[in-house]
Amino acid sequence: MSKNTEVLIVGAGPSGLMAAIELRRRGIDCRLIDKKDAPTQTSNAVAVHARSLEMWDNQGIINKVKGKAQRIEGLEIFSQSMKRLASMAFVKHLKSTYPCAWDIPQNQSEAVLIERLGELGLQVERSTELVSAKIHDDGVSCEIKTAGAETTIVECHYVIASDGFHSTLRNMLKVEYEGKDLKQEFIMIDTPLNYPVDLHKIAIFFHPEGLSGVFPMKESARIIVEVANDKSYNRENGVTRETFIEVLKRRWSFDFQLGEARWMSHFFIHERLAKHYQSGRVFLVGDAAHAHSPAGGQGMNTGMQDAYNLGWKLAAVIKGELKDCVLDTYEPERRPVAQNVLKQSTAMTVAAAVKNPLLISLRNFFVRHVASRRVFQKNFANFIGELSYHYRQSPLSLGDKHINLRPGDRSPIIHHSEHFVLYVPENWAKKAEIEALIKPHTSWIELCLATAEQAKQLALKHGFCLVRPDMYIACQGCCTKELAQWLDAWVK
């Protein structure tokens, strides 16, 4: 038995759900399967950063999440003696509609994504796993198995592997998953917390026995504690609420109260990066493509943005709007992002976990005297918020390079369309000329007469700015020649 679809998505975590939403909002037929019999039931990844919030706004998801999330406005770092080493306010440094992070348990954010997907006419097929996949020149034949049912052959044009760290598809394709495991060992608890630090800020505490961190949520807080060098901790005894109370009493000099545990876990840090994100008609997203330290809380965000990048490209190719070669831009745009996240999150984890007294002194000096500087804080906040990433080197980016805004940069404007948006000044002399140029493509390019504020944000004076569906600048210029070149290069 076979059932055809345009795209088969394997794995219904946040990245897979995002990929399905991006395809369905553009009318693409797809199927989303997951071998688990139910959605995520625990809090797992909690941080949703500024760029992901902009993405959710574009997708019409943001208001569904807002009441469930804790707004995180900054970061505090403390020494062993509880002296504040650094304090950072995100709102001062993030030029975004969302100059903050939102902390929300993954089971709740997934529920919102599943609800949105249902509105778009698609349900997750549970207890269904991929058995095999054969890639052909014109498609992929996938054998899937649903619990209690016969094996089914799915014929599709493309497959998205969002099936996690132990990706079946990545292993089938023999794509190398390069990296190592860090030596740090952590325990984690989600619990209501009463303590003397602002619950709208992340708090990091340095200690010779290991760092600890608090990540507040709406009704509880995520507490992560490093225990690799804690002689009193015994993994054989398991992790209980009392374990955390005992460890934290030795490390925190202030009074605190923990409520009942909502979730507890124990983990090591895995660092991996897939050598390739694409193998023919199969694409890797999320943890199937990269895994790294939770420092900065960027794993889920990076994975969702993989899907956000890939989804519109697949849709445009399937609908015959853009050439097939647009899919070849996915890996060179997204892999460097994960590569940088890996590099920076590893550096943060290693620095926070140093045990040598001299290195501790050097680290604390750096945090106190360098991390407090405005330039450092701006760069750090934009890295964490994932606003600093760009696709300037992508072949999809073409046109004039303004001083502050270049092709490939993130658009400062959040639009609410699934299409390309072409911004032009209302009184631009060449408006009629550019309207004629895009007339054959108005089904997927929307012309927008920029307001004075939008023109200022996009540095529009006497030109245009073409913004991609994922809100990055594709092309900009002062005459229609640049846009004509872009269309000639990419339009089918």
Side-chain angles (χ1 to χ4, degrees), residues 428-439:
W428 191 34
K430 298 180 180 179
K431 182 160 66 93
E433 186 179 339
I434 212 163
E435 285 177 335
L437 186 61
I438 67 166
K439 187 174 181 180

PDB file of all heavy atoms in Angstrom, residues 428-439:
ATOM      1  N   TRP A 428       8.142  56.954  -4.656  1.00  0.00           N
ATOM      2  CA  TRP A 428       9.333  56.590  -5.434  1.00  0.00           C
ATOM      3  C   TRP A 428       9.046  56.734  -6.926  1.00  0.00           C
ATOM      4  O   TRP A 428       8.031  56.244  -7.441  1.00  0.00           O
ATOM      5  CB  TRP A 428       9.733  55.152  -5.096  1.00  0.00           C
ATOM      6  CG  TRP A 428      11.081  54.754  -5.616  1.00  0.00           C
ATOM      7  CD1 TRP A 428      12.185  55.538  -5.743  1.00  0.00           C
ATOM      8  CD2 TRP A 428      11.463  53.454  -6.076  1.00  0.00           C
ATOM      9  NE1 TRP A 428      13.250  54.817  -6.244  1.00  0.00           N
ATOM     10  CE2 TRP A 428      12.833  53.531  -6.447  1.00  0.00           C
ATOM     11  CE3 TRP A 428      10.820  52.236  -6.187  1.00  0.00           C
ATOM     12  CZ2 TRP A 428      13.542  52.436  -6.940  1.00  0.00           C
ATOM     13  CZ3 TRP A 428      11.516  51.146  -6.663  1.00  0.00           C
ATOM     14  CH2 TRP A 428      12.873  51.236  -7.039  1.00  0.00           C
ATOM     15  N   ALA A 429       9.952  57.363  -7.630  1.00  0.00           N
ATOM     16  CA  ALA A 429       9.750  57.640  -9.069  1.00  0.00           C
ATOM     17  C   ALA A 429       9.682  56.369  -9.896  1.00  0.00           C
ATOM     18  O   ALA A 429       9.044  56.349 -10.962  1.00  0.00           O
ATOM     19  CB  ALA A 429      10.877  58.552  -9.572  1.00  0.00           C
ATOM     20  N   LYS A 430      10.337  55.298  -9.420  1.00  0.00           N
ATOM     21  CA  LYS A 430      10.396  54.060 -10.199  1.00  0.00           C
ATOM     22  C   LYS A 430       9.384  53.017  -9.733  1.00  0.00           C
ATOM     23  O   LYS A 430       9.500  51.845 -10.062  1.00  0.00           O
ATOM     24  CB  LYS A 430      11.809  53.481 -10.145  1.00  0.00           C
ATOM     25  CG  LYS A 430      12.853  54.401 -10.745  1.00  0.00           C
ATOM     26  CD  LYS A 430      14.249  53.816 -10.680  1.00  0.00           C
ATOM     27  CE  LYS A 430      15.266  54.763 -11.276  1.00  0.00           C
ATOM     28  NZ  LYS A 430      16.645  54.219 -11.204  1.00  0.00           N
ATOM     29  N   LYS A 431       8.374  53.468  -8.983  1.00  0.00           N
ATOM     30  CA  LYS A 431       7.378  52.533  -8.442  1.00  0.00           C
ATOM     31  C   LYS A 431       6.638  51.804  -9.562  1.00  0.00           C
ATOM     32  O   LYS A 431       6.452  50.587  -9.511  1.00  0.00           O
ATOM     33  CB  LYS A 431       6.378  53.277  -7.559  1.00  0.00           C
ATOM     34  CG  LYS A 431       5.330  52.378  -6.898  1.00  0.00           C
ATOM     35  CD  LYS A 431       4.708  53.061  -5.708  1.00  0.00           C
ATOM     36  CE  LYS A 431       3.907  54.277  -6.114  1.00  0.00           C
ATOM     37  NZ  LYS A 431       2.480  53.977  -6.331  1.00  0.00           N
ATOM     38  N   ALA A 432       6.227  52.499 -10.601  1.00  0.00           N
ATOM     39  CA  ALA A 432       5.495  51.870 -11.709  1.00  0.00           C
ATOM     40  C   ALA A 432       6.379  50.855 -12.423  1.00  0.00           C
ATOM     41  O   ALA A 432       5.927  49.769 -12.823  1.00  0.00           O
ATOM     42  CB  ALA A 432       5.015  52.933 -12.692  1.00  0.00           C
ATOM     43  N   GLU A 433       7.653  51.182 -12.556  1.00  0.00           N
ATOM     44  CA  GLU A 433       8.603  50.283 -13.222  1.00  0.00           C
ATOM     45  C   GLU A 433       8.768  48.988 -12.434  1.00  0.00           C
ATOM     46  O   GLU A 433       8.802  47.897 -13.014  1.00  0.00           O
ATOM     47  CB  GLU A 433       9.944  51.001 -13.364  1.00  0.00           C
ATOM     48  CG  GLU A 433      10.976  50.235 -14.166  1.00  0.00           C
ATOM     49  CD  GLU A 433      12.290  51.001 -14.291  1.00  0.00           C
ATOM     50  OE1 GLU A 433      12.269  52.247 -14.114  1.00  0.00           O
ATOM     51  OE2 GLU A 433      13.326  50.364 -14.542  1.00  0.00           O
ATOM     52  N   ILE A 434       8.855  49.099 -11.111  1.00  0.00           N
ATOM     53  CA  ILE A 434       9.054  47.898 -10.292  1.00  0.00           C
ATOM     54  C   ILE A 434       7.756  47.094 -10.191  1.00  0.00           C
ATOM     55  O   ILE A 434       7.786  45.862 -10.106  1.00  0.00           O
ATOM     56  CB  ILE A 434       9.615  48.265  -8.905  1.00  0.00           C
ATOM     57  CG1 ILE A 434      10.522  47.128  -8.410  1.00  0.00           C
ATOM     58  CG2 ILE A 434       8.525  48.546  -7.881  1.00  0.00           C
ATOM     59  CD1 ILE A 434      11.435  47.524  -7.279  1.00  0.00           C
ATOM     60  N   GLU A 435       6.619  47.768 -10.233  1.00  0.00           N
ATOM     61  CA  GLU A 435       5.336  47.052 -10.245  1.00  0.00           C
ATOM     62  C   GLU A 435       5.221  46.193 -11.495  1.00  0.00           C
ATOM     63  O   GLU A 435       4.744  45.052 -11.441  1.00  0.00           O
ATOM     64  CB  GLU A 435       4.175  48.046 -10.171  1.00  0.00           C
ATOM     65  CG  GLU A 435       3.970  48.661  -8.796  1.00  0.00           C
ATOM     66  CD  GLU A 435       2.851  49.690  -8.797  1.00  0.00           C
ATOM     67  OE1 GLU A 435       2.570  50.273  -9.879  1.00  0.00           O
ATOM     68  OE2 GLU A 435       2.250  49.918  -7.741  1.00  0.00           O
ATOM     69  N   ALA A 436       5.654  46.728 -12.633  1.00  0.00           N
ATOM     70  CA  ALA A 436       5.612  45.961 -13.876  1.00  0.00           C
ATOM     71  C   ALA A 436       6.562  44.771 -13.815  1.00  0.00           C
ATOM     72  O   ALA A 436       6.257  43.684 -14.330  1.00  0.00           O
ATOM     73  CB  ALA A 436       5.986  46.873 -15.047  1.00  0.00           C
ATOM     74  N   LEU A 437       7.705  44.949 -13.139  1.00  0.00           N
ATOM     75  CA  LEU A 437       8.702  43.885 -13.040  1.00  0.00           C
ATOM     76  C   LEU A 437       8.194  42.693 -12.235  1.00  0.00           C
ATOM     77  O   LEU A 437       8.446  41.535 -12.578  1.00  0.00           O
ATOM     78  CB  LEU A 437       9.978  44.444 -12.405  1.00  0.00           C
ATOM     79  CG  LEU A 437      11.195  43.522 -12.351  1.00  0.00           C
ATOM     80  CD1 LEU A 437      11.636  43.111 -13.750  1.00  0.00           C
ATOM     81  CD2 LEU A 437      12.346  44.218 -11.616  1.00  0.00           C
ATOM     82  N   ILE A 438       7.427  42.960 -11.180  1.00  0.00           N
ATOM     83  CA  ILE A 438       6.958  41.858 -10.322  1.00  0.00           C
ATOM     84  C   ILE A 438       5.552  41.386 -10.684  1.00  0.00           C
ATOM     85  O   ILE A 438       5.037  40.447 -10.057  1.00  0.00           O
ATOM     86  CB  ILE A 438       6.985  42.250  -8.825  1.00  0.00           C
ATOM     87  CG1 ILE A 438       5.944  43.354  -8.535  1.00  0.00           C
ATOM     88  CG2 ILE A 438       8.380  42.650  -8.382  1.00  0.00           C
ATOM     89  CD1 ILE A 438       5.668  43.549  -7.058  1.00  0.00           C
ATOM     90  N   LYS A 439       4.940  41.984 -11.683  1.00  0.00           N
ATOM     91  CA  LYS A 439       3.555  41.634 -12.041  1.00  0.00           C
ATOM     92  C   LYS A 439       3.353  40.139 -12.270  1.00  0.00           C
ATOM     93  O   LYS A 439       2.351  39.568 -11.822  1.00  0.00           O
ATOM     94  CB  LYS A 439       3.111  42.425 -13.270  1.00  0.00           C
ATOM     95  CG  LYS A 439       1.637  42.252 -13.595  1.00  0.00           C
ATOM     96  CD  LYS A 439       1.212  43.171 -14.738  1.00  0.00           C
ATOM     97  CE  LYS A 439      -0.280  42.999 -15.024  1.00  0.00           C
ATOM     98  NZ  LYS A 439      -0.718  43.889 -16.153  1.00  0.00           N
TER      99      LYS A 439
END
